[in-house]
Amino acid sequence: MSSLEEAVESRDHLVAVWSELVRDRGGRIGTDDGVVHMWADSAFGFWNTVTLAGTGIPADALGERLARAASFMRGRSESGYLWVFEDLLSPQARQSLFRRAAEAGLEPAFSGRGMAGDLSVPEPDHPDLEFRRVENEEHLAAYGDINARAYGMPPEAGRLALAGSQLWRGDVHAYLGYSDGRPVTCAATVAGPHSIFLALVATLPEEMRKGYGEAVTRKAIHEGGRRSGHRRLVLHATPAGQPVYERIGCRANTAIHFLRLAGHAYIG
């Protein structure tokens, strides 16, 4: 694939899969002249997502879309993120992204990378972990709590993140890793038409650097691929997670910039 094709794949998987996950949280999906909204007005900020449609977006159009996205976000009761896939912008738009974002009242929250790979992951094993698939409310609460703690969100955001979800107990291949009977890490895959999408990978801060995140990620990929029949994996990685996914067999592509309304923060 070309860099543009990889960026389109990364953005389109976000829209397709995240829309399903956001609807599960009672959210609404819509498009307003090149701005795509996937918004649940949830205390769990990742369920409040905006991104940009199109490719080769010119600088002037970028400024207009950033302003529309910011206006939409200001009208919501909870904070969220605008995902900007850098390779979908024209060269001039890339150079002016952060200036135009500031003019729209947006600021950088963090950055990451799109990643993808065609791979087959064998059944994983870790001497200190027991893997359990998410099947009940206790599991859902643990999964949300691990994510909230890992990403610096308020504790109540974790409790509400997945509460009552049937989707996460069924179609999503979500796994917890337990150490000494305590849930410490989690990862999930969601099947699409031609690939699986990796979502909400997290490890408790005090349990990091033990190989837990990579092990549970391999478990989610193995099970999601085995049950869907797909070898293609698409994901969005933080800088900390990128080396893990490279070891599994994925390759980085477009840079992704996560913007928030100036003064609004979830990730510390």
Side-chain angles (χ1 to χ4, degrees), residues 229-262:
H230 298 323
R231 296 186 67 245
R232 184 75 173 169
L233 173 71
V234 178
L235 63 101
H236 303 119
T238 63
Q242 182 174 333
V244 174
Y245 306 132
E246 289 174 339
R247 288 196 296 271
I248 292 173
C250 294
R251 186 173 70 88
N253 49 68
T254 183
I256 306 171
H257 304 290
F258 297 78
L259 307 179
R260 66 188 174 206
L261 291 174

Side-chain angles (χ1 to χ4, degrees), residues 45-46 48-50 73 80-83 109-110 259-260 266-267:
F46 289 132
N48 308 325
T49 299
V50 181
M73 294 165 75
Y81 299 101
L82 167 61
W83 300 43
F110 56 102
L259 307 179
R260 66 188 174 206
Y266 274 117
I267 295 182

Side-chain angles (χ1 to χ4, degrees):
M1 283 188 180
S2 68
S3 60
L4 176 58
E5 289 172 330
E6 289 177 325
V8 169
E9 177 187 53
S10 191
R11 190 269 317 279
D12 287 355
H13 275 72
L14 170 69
V15 173
V17 175
W18 225 246
S19 292
E20 182 180 358
L21 299 179
V22 168
R23 285 192 185 97
D24 175 68
R25 300 290 80 204
R28 295 184 177 182
I29 316 302
T31 302
D32 175 20
D33 196 13
V35 179
V36 182
H37 316 130
M38 299 163 283
W39 202 276
D41 249 353
S42 170
F44 188 71
F46 289 132
W47 295 148
N48 308 325
T49 299
V50 181
T51 194
L52 307 180
T55 61
I57 301 170
D60 289 345
L62 174 64
E64 294 170 0
R65 293 186 193 185
L66 292 174
R68 282 199 301 276
S71 177
F72 173 86
M73 294 165 75
R74 289 190 194 97
R76 313 279 77 79
S77 63
E78 297 285 354
S79 297
Y81 299 101
L82 167 61
W83 300 43
V84 179
F85 295 80
E86 187 174 286
D87 286 352
L88 300 182
L89 307 180
S90 70
Q92 295 78 11
R94 294 179 203 178
Q95 293 175 1
S96 65
L97 170 61
F98 295 113
R99 174 177 62 82
R100 292 178 182 275
E103 291 170 353
L106 297 164
E107 64 183 10
F110 56 102
S111 293
R113 284 274 178 184
M115 299 189 74
D118 296 297
L119 55 144
S120 179
V121 176
E123 177 76 42
D125 181 52
H126 191 290
D128 300 331
L129 288 182
E130 173 196 355
F131 300 117
R132 301 181 194 174
R133 187 170 180 183
V134 170
E135 295 179 334
N136 55 45
E137 283 298 317
E138 180 182 348
H139 293 159
L140 291 170
Y143 201 113
D145 181 64
I146 293 170
N147 269 268
R149 291 187 58 191
Y151 290 108
M153 295 184 186
E156 61 271 19
R159 289 193 292 270
L160 296 173
L162 302 173
S165 176
Q166 294 299 317
L167 181 68
W168 278 77
R169 301 184 201 185
D171 292 342
V172 177
H173 290 92
Y175 285 85
L176 293 160
Y178 285 72
S179 177
D180 294 326
R182 174 175 172 247
V184 296
T185 190
C186 59
T189 53
V190 187
H194 308 291
S195 64
I196 55 174
F197 184 88
L198 184 68
L200 298 187
V201 178
T203 300
L204 293 177
E206 68 271 19
E207 300 292 348
M208 296 180 69
R209 304 187 186 281
K210 298 179 181 179
Y212 292 170
E214 180 171 346
V216 76
T217 296
R218 287 180 178 274
K219 178 64 173 178
I221 296 170
H222 171 77
E223 296 295 346
R226 180 175 67 86
R227 300 187 189 207
S228 68
H230 298 323
R231 296 186 67 245
R232 184 75 173 169
L233 173 71
V234 178
L235 63 101
H236 303 119
T238 63
Q242 182 174 333
V244 174
Y245 306 132
E246 289 174 339
R247 288 196 296 271
I248 292 173
C250 294
R251 186 173 70 88
N253 49 68
T254 183
I256 306 171
H257 304 290
F258 297 78
L259 307 179
R260 66 188 174 206
L261 291 174
H264 290 237
Y266 274 117
I267 295 182

